[in-house]
Amino acid sequence: DGKLCQWEGDMQEVYSPIYTKTSQGLSKKFIGKYPLLTEKEAMEALKSALNAYDEGRGQWPTMAVADRIKHVEEFAFRFKEKKKEVVNLLMWEICKSYEDSLKEFDRTVEYIMDTIDAMKDLDRISSRFVIEDGVIAQIRRSPLGVVMCMGPYNYPLNETFTTLIPALIMGNTVILKPPKMGVLLHRPILSIFKDCFPKGVVNTIYGQGQQVVAPIIASGKVNVLAFIGSSEVADILRKQHPKPHRLRCVLGLESKNAAIILPDVDLNMTVKECILGTLSFNGQRCTALKILFVHSDIIDAFLDKFANEIDRLKVGMPWETNVNITPIPSNDRIKYLEKLIQDARDLGANIINNKGGIIKESLFYPTVLYPVNDKMKIYHEEQFGPVIPVVPFDDIEIPTRYIIESNYGQQVSLFAKDPDIISKLIDSLVNQVCRVNINSQCQRGPDVFPFTGRKDSAEGTLSVSDALRAFSIRTLVAAKEN
Ligand code: G3H
């Protein structure tokens, strides 16, 4: 209801993780602040979402779909005006390059517009009547209630809106909790939510998860948890609900996506795709390639080219032209990556690229580790950063077993030319993961494609139309023909 637009309570100051030179030496720039809510204030947000939903009788859940769409269209129009401000914050707060920040913004706008189109299609189907065995019925898609939306720091805008927009357009009311890093860009959007949606439909909360999220979920009044982030946190959140079976979860979680590289590949293309897959946004993507299995017949040629190309990448600040590697926004992540490297080296792996292992302030140079084996932590754990483990293999059973035994099951990339081998592997791999990429890196897009995973990688399916289904339930109005 606009309270946060004129907030007078406690504020949390935010400093950029990027070091800048000042006359006093290196320092971190102050980039803004955000409201720090107490538990009581967070619970008011829940109350507001519940009131607006009003057990399904509120103005928003009962509004004609065409009218809800108008609100979302108005929101999209106003949101586009915030591009410059949001892109700037993406660079300073999470260190995303200017080009990638622009892409995140544009992709989000496109996602909103595609969701509107998909909702129009769904509505056309839903308003049809069917007659079966003397029963005339209208099959509808109805909202579920209050949705808690929480996005991750690596896509703080896109992956929050990925759940927020479909949840809203389906008639749910929403509590939005921005990630701790990537929180500031949600402030300029607050006033647009206030202007474009009825009171209580979108409620943003800020603060410590334990203080502001836990009590809301523990109230048992949230119907859907839409969370993109770590598998461990998803488990904790779900367990906070007094009746977890009543909480629908739409989750996008961790992965350990593997590339399998066979001897007959086009080496230039494979190296290019593997660099994009492992190092786009410094490897901080749930969809990143996180381990490379390379056939022994091609390992020397592959490593030589891969290491050389990686050392040629431009490492620098987000605003520099054509920059490939930017600072890592979290110190803890830097320490974790260092430990993974040390562990692998202690157990026999080497850093094989010349610039590997260099760390300058928050700039972490991409580091290729070889040969990696199953005794090393990096073989199993999701590094979420620019450290790349390479495993040699002779028998295809090695990478296949790895994928079968992994705790994760999002995607795999298969690099090969022989169509018979490719087709055989696709048939077995597609039963282990949810996307098999042939001669290309792993990725989520295009966003109209289903995006999900097996095991600890996901629950429910995202994408434009799948998300509409995820945030709704099929209901029926049926009458007997008399
Ligand atoms: O972090 C997970 C994102 O959904 C990745 O999306 O593959 O388009 O970078 P992307």
Side-chain angles (χ1 to χ4, degrees), residues 96 107 152 154-155 158-159 162 228 253 280-281 284-288 290 384 410-411 441-447 451:
K96 192 167 267 194
R107 178 180 182 180
N154 60 335
Y155 280 90
N158 180 267
E159 292 206 332
T162 289
I228 302 184
L253 307 172
S280 298
F281 192 34
Q284 302 168 112
R285 295 158 63 225
C286 65
T287 50
K290 290 170 186 143
F384 219 72
Q410 195 198 74
Q411 310 190 22
Q441 63 148 325
C442 294
Q443 61 189 352
R444 175 178 147 214
D447 293 341
F451 178 54

PDB file of all heavy atoms in Angstrom, residues 96 107 152 154-155 158-159 162 228 253 280-281 284-288 290 384 410-411 441-447 451, ligand 1:
ATOM      1  N   LYS A  96      27.362  -7.288 -12.526  1.00  0.00           N
ATOM      2  CA  LYS A  96      27.062  -7.861 -13.848  1.00  0.00           C
ATOM      3  C   LYS A  96      27.519  -6.875 -14.904  1.00  0.00           C
ATOM      4  O   LYS A  96      27.344  -5.660 -14.732  1.00  0.00           O
ATOM      5  CB  LYS A  96      25.551  -8.124 -13.949  1.00  0.00           C
ATOM      6  CG  LYS A  96      25.161  -8.962 -15.125  1.00  0.00           C
ATOM      7  CD  LYS A  96      23.724  -9.457 -15.017  1.00  0.00           C
ATOM      8  CE  LYS A  96      23.668 -10.822 -14.375  1.00  0.00           C
ATOM      9  NZ  LYS A  96      22.373 -11.491 -14.526  1.00  0.00           N
ATOM     10  N   ARG A 107      15.276  -8.869 -21.322  1.00  0.00           N
ATOM     11  CA  ARG A 107      14.696 -10.210 -21.268  1.00  0.00           C
ATOM     12  C   ARG A 107      13.501 -10.232 -20.306  1.00  0.00           C
ATOM     13  O   ARG A 107      12.521 -10.940 -20.526  1.00  0.00           O
ATOM     14  CB  ARG A 107      15.799 -11.152 -20.792  1.00  0.00           C
ATOM     15  CG  ARG A 107      15.390 -12.580 -20.613  1.00  0.00           C
ATOM     16  CD  ARG A 107      16.602 -13.354 -20.133  1.00  0.00           C
ATOM     17  NE  ARG A 107      16.312 -14.756 -19.978  1.00  0.00           N
ATOM     18  CZ  ARG A 107      17.196 -15.650 -19.566  1.00  0.00           C
ATOM     19  NH1 ARG A 107      18.430 -15.284 -19.288  1.00  0.00           N
ATOM     20  NH2 ARG A 107      16.873 -16.909 -19.426  1.00  0.00           N
ATOM     21  N   PRO A 152      17.011 -15.046  -6.884  1.00  0.00           N
ATOM     22  CA  PRO A 152      18.412 -15.170  -6.491  1.00  0.00           C
ATOM     23  C   PRO A 152      19.240 -13.917  -6.826  1.00  0.00           C
ATOM     24  O   PRO A 152      18.787 -13.073  -7.601  1.00  0.00           O
ATOM     25  CB  PRO A 152      18.885 -16.331  -7.356  1.00  0.00           C
ATOM     26  CG  PRO A 152      18.102 -16.154  -8.625  1.00  0.00           C
ATOM     27  CD  PRO A 152      16.785 -15.533  -8.263  1.00  0.00           C
ATOM     28  N   ASN A 154      21.939 -13.732  -8.644  1.00  0.00           N
ATOM     29  CA  ASN A 154      22.582 -13.682  -9.973  1.00  0.00           C
ATOM     30  C   ASN A 154      21.653 -13.132 -11.057  1.00  0.00           C
ATOM     31  O   ASN A 154      22.106 -12.598 -12.058  1.00  0.00           O
ATOM     32  CB  ASN A 154      23.131 -15.056 -10.363  1.00  0.00           C
ATOM     33  CG  ASN A 154      22.062 -16.118 -10.422  1.00  0.00           C
ATOM     34  OD1 ASN A 154      21.029 -16.008  -9.770  1.00  0.00           O
ATOM     35  ND2 ASN A 154      22.294 -17.152 -11.193  1.00  0.00           N
ATOM     36  N   TYR A 155      20.343 -13.309 -10.840  1.00  0.00           N
ATOM     37  CA  TYR A 155      19.341 -12.709 -11.734  1.00  0.00           C
ATOM     38  C   TYR A 155      18.284 -12.057 -10.835  1.00  0.00           C
ATOM     39  O   TYR A 155      17.132 -12.514 -10.804  1.00  0.00           O
ATOM     40  CB  TYR A 155      18.683 -13.758 -12.630  1.00  0.00           C
ATOM     41  CG  TYR A 155      19.487 -14.171 -13.831  1.00  0.00           C
ATOM     42  CD1 TYR A 155      20.384 -15.225 -13.767  1.00  0.00           C
ATOM     43  CD2 TYR A 155      19.332 -13.509 -15.049  1.00  0.00           C
ATOM     44  CE1 TYR A 155      21.110 -15.613 -14.874  1.00  0.00           C
ATOM     45  CE2 TYR A 155      20.065 -13.899 -16.166  1.00  0.00           C
ATOM     46  CZ  TYR A 155      20.940 -14.940 -16.072  1.00  0.00           C
ATOM     47  OH  TYR A 155      21.655 -15.335 -17.172  1.00  0.00           O
ATOM     48  N   ASN A 158      15.282 -10.625 -13.267  1.00  0.00           N
ATOM     49  CA  ASN A 158      14.629 -11.581 -14.160  1.00  0.00           C
ATOM     50  C   ASN A 158      14.039 -12.766 -13.411  1.00  0.00           C
ATOM     51  O   ASN A 158      12.916 -13.187 -13.673  1.00  0.00           O
ATOM     52  CB  ASN A 158      15.653 -12.061 -15.197  1.00  0.00           C
ATOM     53  CG  ASN A 158      15.040 -13.043 -16.148  1.00  0.00           C
ATOM     54  OD1 ASN A 158      15.108 -14.250 -15.945  1.00  0.00           O
ATOM     55  ND2 ASN A 158      14.378 -12.528 -17.172  1.00  0.00           N
ATOM     56  N   GLU A 159      14.796 -13.304 -12.470  1.00  0.00           N
ATOM     57  CA  GLU A 159      14.308 -14.519 -11.831  1.00  0.00           C
ATOM     58  C   GLU A 159      13.381 -14.238 -10.657  1.00  0.00           C
ATOM     59  O   GLU A 159      12.880 -15.158 -10.034  1.00  0.00           O
ATOM     60  CB  GLU A 159      15.474 -15.414 -11.443  1.00  0.00           C
ATOM     61  CG  GLU A 159      16.126 -15.946 -12.705  1.00  0.00           C
ATOM     62  CD  GLU A 159      16.846 -17.246 -12.541  1.00  0.00           C
ATOM     63  OE1 GLU A 159      17.314 -17.512 -11.426  1.00  0.00           O
ATOM     64  OE2 GLU A 159      16.947 -17.980 -13.529  1.00  0.00           O
ATOM     65  N   THR A 162      10.176 -13.788 -13.070  1.00  0.00           N
ATOM     66  CA  THR A 162       9.833 -15.070 -13.678  1.00  0.00           C
ATOM     67  C   THR A 162       8.709 -15.765 -12.913  1.00  0.00           C
ATOM     68  O   THR A 162       7.912 -16.501 -13.466  1.00  0.00           O
ATOM     69  CB  THR A 162      11.103 -15.960 -13.656  1.00  0.00           C
ATOM     70  OG1 THR A 162      12.001 -15.427 -14.601  1.00  0.00           O
ATOM     71  CG2 THR A 162      10.825 -17.385 -13.983  1.00  0.00           C
ATOM     72  N   ILE A 228      13.933 -19.272  -6.042  1.00  0.00           N
ATOM     73  CA  ILE A 228      15.044 -19.648  -6.922  1.00  0.00           C
ATOM     74  C   ILE A 228      16.321 -19.345  -6.143  1.00  0.00           C
ATOM     75  O   ILE A 228      16.554 -18.197  -5.729  1.00  0.00           O
ATOM     76  CB  ILE A 228      14.985 -18.887  -8.256  1.00  0.00           C
ATOM     77  CG1 ILE A 228      13.638 -19.183  -8.945  1.00  0.00           C
ATOM     78  CG2 ILE A 228      16.160 -19.289  -9.159  1.00  0.00           C
ATOM     79  CD1 ILE A 228      13.443 -18.594 -10.309  1.00  0.00           C
ATOM     80  N   LEU A 253      16.656 -24.575  -8.461  1.00  0.00           N
ATOM     81  CA  LEU A 253      17.718 -24.714  -7.453  1.00  0.00           C
ATOM     82  C   LEU A 253      19.089 -24.929  -8.076  1.00  0.00           C
ATOM     83  O   LEU A 253      19.368 -24.413  -9.150  1.00  0.00           O
ATOM     84  CB  LEU A 253      17.329 -25.834  -6.489  1.00  0.00           C
ATOM     85  CG  LEU A 253      15.924 -25.676  -5.859  1.00  0.00           C
ATOM     86  CD1 LEU A 253      15.527 -26.908  -5.089  1.00  0.00           C
ATOM     87  CD2 LEU A 253      15.849 -24.430  -4.984  1.00  0.00           C
ATOM     88  N   SER A 280      30.040 -17.480 -18.422  1.00  0.00           N
ATOM     89  CA  SER A 280      29.124 -16.337 -18.534  1.00  0.00           C
ATOM     90  C   SER A 280      28.750 -15.914 -17.122  1.00  0.00           C
ATOM     91  O   SER A 280      28.488 -16.761 -16.254  1.00  0.00           O
ATOM     92  CB  SER A 280      27.849 -16.724 -19.288  1.00  0.00           C
ATOM     93  OG  SER A 280      28.181 -17.111 -20.597  1.00  0.00           O
ATOM     94  N   PHE A 281      28.699 -14.632 -16.890  1.00  0.00           N
ATOM     95  CA  PHE A 281      28.538 -14.043 -15.550  1.00  0.00           C
ATOM     96  C   PHE A 281      29.400 -14.796 -14.514  1.00  0.00           C
ATOM     97  O   PHE A 281      28.958 -15.196 -13.447  1.00  0.00           O
ATOM     98  CB  PHE A 281      27.070 -13.975 -15.118  1.00  0.00           C
ATOM     99  CG  PHE A 281      26.876 -13.125 -13.877  1.00  0.00           C
ATOM    100  CD1 PHE A 281      27.658 -12.014 -13.631  1.00  0.00           C
ATOM    101  CD2 PHE A 281      25.906 -13.447 -12.929  1.00  0.00           C
ATOM    102  CE1 PHE A 281      27.511 -11.243 -12.485  1.00  0.00           C
ATOM    103  CE2 PHE A 281      25.737 -12.680 -11.780  1.00  0.00           C
ATOM    104  CZ  PHE A 281      26.551 -11.573 -11.565  1.00  0.00           C
ATOM    105  N   GLN A 284      28.354 -17.801 -12.487  1.00  0.00           N
ATOM    106  CA  GLN A 284      27.333 -17.683 -11.439  1.00  0.00           C
ATOM    107  C   GLN A 284      25.924 -17.835 -12.037  1.00  0.00           C
ATOM    108  O   GLN A 284      25.111 -16.926 -11.966  1.00  0.00           O
ATOM    109  CB  GLN A 284      27.451 -16.329 -10.737  1.00  0.00           C
ATOM    110  CG  GLN A 284      28.813 -16.103 -10.108  1.00  0.00           C
ATOM    111  CD  GLN A 284      29.000 -14.660  -9.670  1.00  0.00           C
ATOM    112  OE1 GLN A 284      29.073 -14.377  -8.506  1.00  0.00           O
ATOM    113  NE2 GLN A 284      29.072 -13.739 -10.600  1.00  0.00           N
ATOM    114  N   ARG A 285      25.690 -18.969 -12.655  1.00  0.00           N
ATOM    115  CA  ARG A 285      24.365 -19.256 -13.205  1.00  0.00           C
ATOM    116  C   ARG A 285      23.997 -20.671 -12.790  1.00  0.00           C
ATOM    117  O   ARG A 285      24.859 -21.556 -12.816  1.00  0.00           O
ATOM    118  CB  ARG A 285      24.388 -19.198 -14.740  1.00  0.00           C
ATOM    119  CG  ARG A 285      24.672 -17.838 -15.328  1.00  0.00           C
ATOM    120  CD  ARG A 285      25.201 -17.975 -16.742  1.00  0.00           C
ATOM    121  NE  ARG A 285      24.274 -18.576 -17.666  1.00  0.00           N
ATOM    122  CZ  ARG A 285      24.614 -19.523 -18.542  1.00  0.00           C
ATOM    123  NH1 ARG A 285      25.847 -20.013 -18.582  1.00  0.00           N
ATOM    124  NH2 ARG A 285      23.720 -20.010 -19.378  1.00  0.00           N
ATOM    125  N   CYS A 286      22.735 -20.860 -12.421  1.00  0.00           N
ATOM    126  CA  CYS A 286      22.357 -22.235 -12.069  1.00  0.00           C
ATOM    127  C   CYS A 286      22.500 -23.117 -13.300  1.00  0.00           C
ATOM    128  O   CYS A 286      22.689 -24.321 -13.193  1.00  0.00           O
ATOM    129  CB  CYS A 286      20.950 -22.289 -11.502  1.00  0.00           C
ATOM    130  SG  CYS A 286      19.685 -21.820 -12.666  1.00  0.00           S
ATOM    131  N   THR A 287      22.427 -22.513 -14.478  1.00  0.00           N
ATOM    132  CA  THR A 287      22.508 -23.278 -15.721  1.00  0.00           C
ATOM    133  C   THR A 287      23.945 -23.424 -16.251  1.00  0.00           C
ATOM    134  O   THR A 287      24.136 -23.993 -17.327  1.00  0.00           O
ATOM    135  CB  THR A 287      21.667 -22.573 -16.804  1.00  0.00           C
ATOM    136  OG1 THR A 287      22.047 -21.203 -16.821  1.00  0.00           O
ATOM    137  CG2 THR A 287      20.189 -22.694 -16.543  1.00  0.00           C
ATOM    138  N   ALA A 288      24.915 -22.921 -15.525  1.00  0.00           N
ATOM    139  CA  ALA A 288      26.293 -22.965 -16.036  1.00  0.00           C
ATOM    140  C   ALA A 288      26.775 -24.415 -16.183  1.00  0.00           C
ATOM    141  O   ALA A 288      26.287 -25.321 -15.509  1.00  0.00           O
ATOM    142  CB  ALA A 288      27.223 -22.213 -15.094  1.00  0.00           C
ATOM    143  N   LYS A 290      29.356 -26.931 -15.106  1.00  0.00           N
ATOM    144  CA  LYS A 290      30.157 -26.899 -13.879  1.00  0.00           C
ATOM    145  C   LYS A 290      31.199 -28.001 -13.806  1.00  0.00           C
ATOM    146  O   LYS A 290      31.972 -28.065 -12.849  1.00  0.00           O
ATOM    147  CB  LYS A 290      29.233 -26.908 -12.670  1.00  0.00           C
ATOM    148  CG  LYS A 290      28.497 -25.555 -12.587  1.00  0.00           C
ATOM    149  CD  LYS A 290      27.392 -25.476 -11.616  1.00  0.00           C
ATOM    150  CE  LYS A 290      26.692 -24.125 -11.777  1.00  0.00           C
ATOM    151  NZ  LYS A 290      25.279 -24.182 -11.612  1.00  0.00           N
ATOM    152  N   PHE A 384      29.676 -22.467  -8.440  1.00  0.00           N
ATOM    153  CA  PHE A 384      29.016 -21.182  -8.720  1.00  0.00           C
ATOM    154  C   PHE A 384      30.036 -20.047  -8.831  1.00  0.00           C
ATOM    155  O   PHE A 384      29.941 -19.009  -8.177  1.00  0.00           O
ATOM    156  CB  PHE A 384      27.985 -20.873  -7.621  1.00  0.00           C
ATOM    157  CG  PHE A 384      26.727 -20.248  -8.153  1.00  0.00           C
ATOM    158  CD1 PHE A 384      25.819 -20.986  -8.874  1.00  0.00           C
ATOM    159  CD2 PHE A 384      26.450 -18.894  -7.951  1.00  0.00           C
ATOM    160  CE1 PHE A 384      24.656 -20.416  -9.381  1.00  0.00           C
ATOM    161  CE2 PHE A 384      25.296 -18.313  -8.461  1.00  0.00           C
ATOM    162  CZ  PHE A 384      24.395 -19.080  -9.169  1.00  0.00           C
ATOM    163  N   GLN A 410      19.722 -31.093 -13.717  1.00  0.00           N
ATOM    164  CA  GLN A 410      19.161 -30.037 -14.556  1.00  0.00           C
ATOM    165  C   GLN A 410      19.433 -30.262 -16.048  1.00  0.00           C
ATOM    166  O   GLN A 410      18.526 -30.546 -16.814  1.00  0.00           O
ATOM    167  CB  GLN A 410      19.693 -28.676 -14.105  1.00  0.00           C
ATOM    168  CG  GLN A 410      18.895 -27.514 -14.685  1.00  0.00           C
ATOM    169  CD  GLN A 410      19.681 -26.225 -14.606  1.00  0.00           C
ATOM    170  OE1 GLN A 410      20.634 -25.999 -15.349  1.00  0.00           O
ATOM    171  NE2 GLN A 410      19.275 -25.360 -13.685  1.00  0.00           N
ATOM    172  N   GLN A 411      20.690 -30.134 -16.477  1.00  0.00           N
ATOM    173  CA  GLN A 411      20.995 -30.237 -17.909  1.00  0.00           C
ATOM    174  C   GLN A 411      22.322 -30.959 -18.132  1.00  0.00           C
ATOM    175  O   GLN A 411      23.100 -31.190 -17.200  1.00  0.00           O
ATOM    176  CB  GLN A 411      21.158 -28.842 -18.530  1.00  0.00           C
ATOM    177  CG  GLN A 411      20.057 -27.890 -18.236  1.00  0.00           C
ATOM    178  CD  GLN A 411      20.137 -26.606 -19.061  1.00  0.00           C
ATOM    179  OE1 GLN A 411      20.758 -26.550 -20.116  1.00  0.00           O
ATOM    180  NE2 GLN A 411      19.483 -25.570 -18.580  1.00  0.00           N
ATOM    181  N   GLN A 441      26.211 -24.965 -25.234  1.00  0.00           N
ATOM    182  CA  GLN A 441      26.281 -24.829 -23.776  1.00  0.00           C
ATOM    183  C   GLN A 441      24.903 -25.059 -23.148  1.00  0.00           C
ATOM    184  O   GLN A 441      23.894 -25.110 -23.849  1.00  0.00           O
ATOM    185  CB  GLN A 441      26.778 -23.423 -23.442  1.00  0.00           C
ATOM    186  CG  GLN A 441      25.819 -22.325 -23.919  1.00  0.00           C
ATOM    187  CD  GLN A 441      25.835 -21.099 -23.020  1.00  0.00           C
ATOM    188  OE1 GLN A 441      25.983 -21.196 -21.818  1.00  0.00           O
ATOM    189  NE2 GLN A 441      25.671 -19.924 -23.604  1.00  0.00           N
ATOM    190  N   CYS A 442      24.873 -25.174 -21.814  1.00  0.00           N
ATOM    191  CA  CYS A 442      23.598 -25.271 -21.099  1.00  0.00           C
ATOM    192  C   CYS A 442      23.033 -23.868 -20.918  1.00  0.00           C
ATOM    193  O   CYS A 442      23.789 -22.903 -20.766  1.00  0.00           O
ATOM    194  CB  CYS A 442      23.811 -25.893 -19.724  1.00  0.00           C
ATOM    195  SG  CYS A 442      24.353 -27.598 -19.773  1.00  0.00           S
ATOM    196  N   GLN A 443      21.739 -23.746 -20.932  1.00  0.00           N
ATOM    197  CA  GLN A 443      21.107 -22.443 -20.675  1.00  0.00           C
ATOM    198  C   GLN A 443      19.630 -22.624 -20.410  1.00  0.00           C
ATOM    199  O   GLN A 443      19.066 -23.681 -20.658  1.00  0.00           O
ATOM    200  CB  GLN A 443      21.324 -21.493 -21.839  1.00  0.00           C
ATOM    201  CG  GLN A 443      20.739 -21.983 -23.146  1.00  0.00           C
ATOM    202  CD  GLN A 443      21.163 -21.134 -24.334  1.00  0.00           C
ATOM    203  OE1 GLN A 443      21.783 -20.096 -24.166  1.00  0.00           O
ATOM    204  NE2 GLN A 443      20.827 -21.583 -25.520  1.00  0.00           N
ATOM    205  N   ARG A 444      19.036 -21.532 -19.914  1.00  0.00           N
ATOM    206  CA  ARG A 444      17.610 -21.592 -19.612  1.00  0.00           C
ATOM    207  C   ARG A 444      16.775 -21.211 -20.831  1.00  0.00           C
ATOM    208  O   ARG A 444      15.734 -21.778 -21.097  1.00  0.00           O
ATOM    209  CB  ARG A 444      17.314 -20.630 -18.463  1.00  0.00           C
ATOM    210  CG  ARG A 444      15.861 -20.512 -18.153  1.00  0.00           C
ATOM    211  CD  ARG A 444      15.642 -19.575 -16.979  1.00  0.00           C
ATOM    212  NE  ARG A 444      14.396 -18.872 -17.135  1.00  0.00           N
ATOM    213  CZ  ARG A 444      14.169 -17.640 -16.746  1.00  0.00           C
ATOM    214  NH1 ARG A 444      15.139 -16.951 -16.166  1.00  0.00           N
ATOM    215  NH2 ARG A 444      13.017 -17.082 -16.920  1.00  0.00           N
ATOM    216  N   GLY A 445      17.211 -20.217 -21.555  1.00  0.00           N
ATOM    217  CA  GLY A 445      16.423 -19.642 -22.630  1.00  0.00           C
ATOM    218  C   GLY A 445      16.334 -20.519 -23.853  1.00  0.00           C
ATOM    219  O   GLY A 445      17.044 -21.510 -23.951  1.00  0.00           O
ATOM    220  N   PRO A 446      15.509 -20.155 -24.843  1.00  0.00           N
ATOM    221  CA  PRO A 446      14.496 -19.103 -24.778  1.00  0.00           C
ATOM    222  C   PRO A 446      13.466 -19.389 -23.665  1.00  0.00           C
ATOM    223  O   PRO A 446      13.154 -20.546 -23.411  1.00  0.00           O
ATOM    224  CB  PRO A 446      13.826 -19.174 -26.155  1.00  0.00           C
ATOM    225  CG  PRO A 446      14.669 -20.082 -26.995  1.00  0.00           C
ATOM    226  CD  PRO A 446      15.485 -20.914 -26.083  1.00  0.00           C
ATOM    227  N   ASP A 447      12.960 -18.303 -23.075  1.00  0.00           N
ATOM    228  CA  ASP A 447      12.156 -18.474 -21.862  1.00  0.00           C
ATOM    229  C   ASP A 447      10.778 -19.088 -22.098  1.00  0.00           C
ATOM    230  O   ASP A 447      10.042 -19.329 -21.145  1.00  0.00           O
ATOM    231  CB  ASP A 447      12.028 -17.130 -21.133  1.00  0.00           C
ATOM    232  CG  ASP A 447      13.374 -16.695 -20.593  1.00  0.00           C
ATOM    233  OD1 ASP A 447      14.264 -17.557 -20.473  1.00  0.00           O
ATOM    234  OD2 ASP A 447      13.550 -15.499 -20.309  1.00  0.00           O
ATOM    235  N   PHE A 451      11.505 -25.001 -18.185  1.00  0.00           N
ATOM    236  CA  PHE A 451      12.757 -24.948 -17.432  1.00  0.00           C
ATOM    237  C   PHE A 451      12.533 -25.630 -16.088  1.00  0.00           C
ATOM    238  O   PHE A 451      11.757 -25.158 -15.260  1.00  0.00           O
ATOM    239  CB  PHE A 451      13.180 -23.494 -17.238  1.00  0.00           C
ATOM    240  CG  PHE A 451      14.447 -23.343 -16.430  1.00  0.00           C
ATOM    241  CD1 PHE A 451      15.601 -24.015 -16.794  1.00  0.00           C
ATOM    242  CD2 PHE A 451      14.481 -22.540 -15.308  1.00  0.00           C
ATOM    243  CE1 PHE A 451      16.765 -23.895 -16.055  1.00  0.00           C
ATOM    244  CE2 PHE A 451      15.649 -22.402 -14.560  1.00  0.00           C
ATOM    245  CZ  PHE A 451      16.788 -23.084 -14.937  1.00  0.00           C
TER     246      PHE A 451
HETATM  247  O1  G3H B   1      20.795 -19.067 -12.926  1.00  0.00           O
HETATM  248  C1  G3H B   1      19.940 -19.580 -13.626  1.00  0.00           C
HETATM  249  C2  G3H B   1      19.329 -18.822 -14.753  1.00  0.00           C
HETATM  250  O2  G3H B   1      18.006 -19.229 -15.010  1.00  0.00           O
HETATM  251  C3  G3H B   1      20.170 -18.912 -15.941  1.00  0.00           C
HETATM  252  O3  G3H B   1      19.578 -18.426 -17.060  1.00  0.00           O
HETATM  253  O4  G3H B   1      20.836 -19.806 -18.671  1.00  0.00           O
HETATM  254  O5  G3H B   1      19.655 -17.784 -19.394  1.00  0.00           O
HETATM  255  O6  G3H B   1      21.693 -17.583 -18.000  1.00  0.00           O
HETATM  256  P1  G3H B   1      20.492 -18.392 -18.360  1.00  0.00           P
END
